[in-house]
Amino acid sequence: MSKVITNPVIRGFNPDPSIVRVGDDYYIATSTFEWFPGVQLHHSKDLVHWRLIGHALTRTPQLCMTGMDNSEGVYAPALTFSDKKFWLCFSNVHSCRGGTWMATPSFLVTADNIEGPWSDPVSIGNYGFDPSLFHDDDGKKYVLNMMWDGRANTNFFGGIMLQEFDPKTNALVGKAHNIFAGTELGCTEGPQMLKKGGYYYLITAEGGTERNHAVTVARSKDILGPYEVHPDNPILTSRFQEGAPLQRAGHGFLVETQDQEWYLSHLCGRPVPNPEGYQYMPSYDNAYSVLGRESALQKAHWQDGWPYVTTGKVPLVEVEAPNLPAAPWPQQPDTDHFETSTLNLHFQTLREPMTDDWGSLIERPGHLRLKGRHYLASRYQNSLVARRIQSHYARIETSMEFSPSVPMQMAGLVAYYSRNGHYFLKQSANNQGESILQVVGNINDQYREYSEEIVVEGNATVHLRLDLDKQWYQFSYSLDGQSWIAIGPPLNSTYLSDEGGPDIFRFTGPFAALFACDLTGQNLHADFDYFRYVEPKQ
């Protein structure tokens, strides 16, 4: 191949890719769950090179996630373009745990420009998560979403709903129809629709977002059905292919290039085995997605009125690129010196935007100041600023000034998956008021201390480092920025993954985070001078 797409095209925690082409530009929207701002937006001109260009949900009137738990929040956004503007559907999922009815309020926002500003949200129902908007060629618009059924003796997935949407009144109209019950793969979700050759093609995610995940296609001449299933369903899956480098393949959508080539977007995972051999869920075959679910592309074609993945059902790492001019993006700097008044696009915060009462880039120019609030285990008021870890081999480094006087004051560098799945290199104080460094963590609600307390003289600047070597995290510190000392043992990265605990509702990925905590209520601040993220190798 002269030009190759190398998967995943959007690495790290970026699942549920919804792809659209507008002229010569391609855009993918991905899920963000409890992270703010909501919905990551990515741009490419050749399907090979992608870059993050912004977020759709940047204001709390668009997205309120106060008190949400791990892996709640924004599920599976769906991006479309029609009537000279962008349309984005999403769910803000509450109460995903409990084994019963789930609250899934769903919304629509629009923008004239992909980079915003995006409108305030319009309600589009509460049937279930994964809503999308289909723009028919007769001018009508329809909302699709899966139906969540919390009654006893159900599998919770109640089929795919369709209802007309009136853009003039911004409201659902008419009757809601259950148009597709799904196939024997089960867990039918993620519906998106396209029309081609007089057929409506319904593309869904099935099998559950783990090793049995898949892309299913069905079609009908009538938008209300009945829908016939693809004769070789599913068209993409990694199930029963334990040796495939891209696992968990599913949740896809099709896009056509300017030259009438077709590609299928889909999520995937690059799992590694637990080096300690422990498994919470034997069904996962000791495979842990330590970078979360990622986004990939496969070449597709049409045959006898059906779409097929050109190279077969199993996703490939290297895929033939389209006949488009190469369009690489400029190299991004690896170090953020906090010299702007707003956070870098790659940073996100938990459940709420950074506001002046707890975080600032201007109070001390050239520094990120975080004012301590709740501890990491809280679902509220986390003074935490984080960046995705996007490679199996990564190094994160920062320097910090912090003056704790009691053990309830802590700040430092965190390897963060969830409030009950993280490792923390903290600076704090012991009972004598001496400043100390220590590695602690929480794995599945078990608080642990991984190192002894190391006393550091005075309140000098401390440099902190986190290295990921595929299955192991290692913390280090330095008092001069030159000589580094490992602190604590290598820490198992597989616990900070979707499969790393007994809770089946784990859908995100690992972050490297700057964090400050002050349980005295005095909001003692920590100042971070820089944040460096490098990937020594892929």
Side-chain angles (χ1 to χ4, degrees), residues 234-493:
I235 67 167
L236 182 78
T237 187
S238 302
R239 65 198 300 251
F240 310 130
Q241 301 293 325
E242 287 79 5
L246 302 180
Q247 292 290 321
R248 309 177 68 176
H251 200 113
F253 196 58
L254 290 158
V255 67
E256 184 180 16
T257 73
Q258 303 93 304
D259 294 330
Q260 290 75 55
E261 296 179 273
W262 286 84
Y263 285 83
L264 176 75
S265 66
H266 65 94
L267 69 77
C268 64
R270 292 180 286 167
V272 300
N274 185 329
E276 298 174 349
Y278 182 74
Q279 294 174 250
Y280 273 106
M281 297 182 182
S283 64
Y284 282 105
D285 293 325
N286 197 23
Y288 294 78
S289 306
V290 298
L291 298 179
R293 297 171 302 156
E294 307 171 285
S295 290
L297 295 169
Q298 304 296 323
K299 191 170 179 61
H301 67 277
W302 291 81
Q303 180 179 325
D304 300 325
W306 291 102
Y308 289 82
V309 174
T310 300
T311 52
K313 292 175 182 285
V314 182
L316 300 182
V317 172
E318 290 193 344
V319 173
E320 181 183 354
N323 183 29
L324 296 172
W329 301 109
Q331 184 74 26
Q332 295 294 306
D334 60 23
T335 304
D336 188 337
H337 293 283
F338 301 124
E339 293 173 337
T340 62
S341 59
T342 57
L343 287 172
N344 184 290
L345 282 179
H346 289 279
F347 284 119
Q348 287 191 281
T349 52
L350 279 170
R351 305 175 188 88
E352 60 177 341
M354 188 176 80
T355 52
D356 292 343
D357 61 322
W358 67 268
S360 175
L361 287 161
I362 59 175
E363 286 189 17
R364 186 180 177 188
H367 293 77
L368 171 64
R369 173 165 289 181
L370 296 180
K371 302 171 185 178
R373 298 186 299 167
H374 290 195
Y375 190 63
L376 290 162
S378 175
R379 291 184 287 115
Y380 303 84
Q381 298 186 24
N382 300 115
S383 298
L384 179 145
V385 171
R387 188 211 192 281
R388 280 165 179 73
I389 298 174
Q390 296 179 279
S391 170
H392 286 123
Y393 305 93
R395 170 168 287 178
I396 300 92
E397 186 180 309
T398 189
S399 71
M400 178 181 73
E401 294 178 36
F402 185 53
S403 302
S405 59
V406 293
M408 288 79 77
Q409 296 170 328
M410 296 162 272
L413 182 60
V414 185
Y416 187 94
Y417 176 89
S418 63
R419 65 187 186 88
N420 58 354
H422 56 260
Y423 302 118
F424 179 22
L425 171 52
K426 68 173 182 177
Q427 183 178 5
S428 187
N430 60 21
N431 289 335
Q432 291 72 47
E434 298 171 306
S435 185
I436 60 100
L437 294 174
Q438 186 181 28
V439 177
V440 298
N442 186 316
I443 300 299
N444 298 309
D445 293 315
Q446 296 297 313
Y447 177 81
R448 305 177 187 186
E449 296 181 346
Y450 293 100
S451 77
E452 300 295 325
E453 295 180 352
I454 297 174
V455 175
V456 292
E457 297 297 330
N459 291 302
T461 298
V462 176
H463 298 261
L464 309 174
R465 178 183 284 177
L466 172 66
D467 285 289
L468 173 60
D469 186 357
K470 206 166 187 178
Q471 293 144 310
W472 302 104
Y473 287 110
Q474 178 66 62
F475 284 108
S476 306
Y477 74 97
S478 173
L479 299 180
D480 60 8
Q482 301 296 321
S483 300
W484 291 88
I485 303 169
I487 178 170
L491 300 168
N492 189 337
S493 70

Side-chain angles (χ1 to χ4, degrees), residues 46-72:
D46 59 4
L47 295 183
V48 175
H49 304 93
W50 291 83
R51 66 171 178 173
L52 179 68
I53 57 171
H55 301 82
L57 309 176
T58 59
R59 311 184 303 274
T60 50
Q62 295 173 311
L63 180 63
C64 178
M65 298 187 290
T66 302
M68 285 195 172
D69 210 339
N70 311 321
S71 296
E72 295 181 344

